[in-house]
Structure formats: structure tokens, C-alpha cells
Amino acid sequence: MKQLVLFLCLFALLISCKKDATNNYLEVSIDNQSSFEMTNIKLYSNIGVINHNFTDSLLIEEIKSGDSFDTSWNLKDLVSVDGGFVISFIMDTIQNQKDFGYFSNGIIIGKSYNIQIKDDIIKITKAGN
């Protein structure tokens, strides 16, 4: 009887640790409040602490000054490690990059982010959740 209870507990533990395939989306809203057009915009998952190993990228061609871009980024292939996310873009011929968010064992911790781009600052806030 003890073995059956132990088996059921281990089985329940394994099931609860399984990655939920329906919960692999990161909601991202990018608001260009700057005086410049943003180009070559890339969102990456970053699984490298020192050498930045970028995976699962999402590319956006441009966001004009005063415009916004909303997306539901599908991260179904996010590897089961710890990491975060990165936004990279060119604005006024200058390459900009900022880290945000976190995932643990391939599970996204914050599901929604607002990214405000201004002439001199990139402000990223966690939305909802």
C-alpha cells in the first residue's frame, strides 16, 4: 500500500512539472514615443548568461514614430533552462538593446510586457499577470 501511495505521489509530481503547451505566449506591446523611426527590431530569448546565446527570435521590420506594435509571441520551442528576453533595434542610426523578463525551466514567468521607446530611454514594464 505504501508503494502505491508513493508511486501516485511521484506520478502527480511529474505531471505537475510538465510544461503547459497552451501557455507559451508572451504578449508584447511596443510603443514608439520617440522622434525617430525604429528599424530592424528583434525580440530574442536569451539563455546565455555571459555569451548571450539568443534563440527564438521575432523580427519586426519597422515601427514609425508615434506608432505601436502589439504581438503575441509564440515561444513553443523555448528550451527548458533559465533565461530572459531581449529587445534590439536601430533608432537614428544607433543600435539599442535592453534585457527584460525571465523564464525558468522554459516556463515564462511574466506573460505580458509594455515597452515604451523614447528618444533617450527604453522603459519596460510588466503588464497584468
Side-chain angles (χ1 to χ4, degrees), residues 35-53:
S35 307
F36 306 98
E37 180 178 273
M38 297 169 58
T39 59
N40 199 28
I41 305 144
K42 297 175 187 170
L43 293 168
Y44 297 96
S45 61
N46 178 11
I47 59 172
V49 176
I50 297 171
N51 294 325
H52 286 286
N53 184 4

Side-chain angles (χ1 to χ4, degrees), residues 53-71:
N53 184 4
F54 298 118
T55 61
D56 290 321
S57 64
L58 174 70
L59 305 175
I60 306 160
E61 191 172 317
E62 69 179 12
I63 302 175
K64 296 188 183 298
S65 176
D67 285 351
S68 298
F69 181 86
D70 298 324
T71 188

Side-chain angles (χ1 to χ4, degrees), residues 10-19 107:
L10 287 173
F11 183 71
L13 180 65
L14 288 174
I15 289 174
S16 68
C17 292
K18 185 180 176 209
K19 187 175 174 181
I107 298 170

Side-chain angles (χ1 to χ4, degrees), residues 19 23-24 26 44-49 53-56 73 75 77-86 100-111 113:
K19 187 175 174 181
N23 219 357
N24 296 339
L26 184 68
Y44 297 96
S45 61
N46 178 11
I47 59 172
V49 176
N53 184 4
F54 298 118
T55 61
D56 290 321
W73 183 15
L75 291 161
D77 296 324
L78 192 61
V79 293
S80 293
V81 297
D82 291 359
F85 303 102
V86 178
F100 69 98
Y102 184 72
F103 57 92
S104 179
N105 292 325
I107 298 170
I108 303 167
I109 305 301
K111 300 284 185 184
Y113 290 90

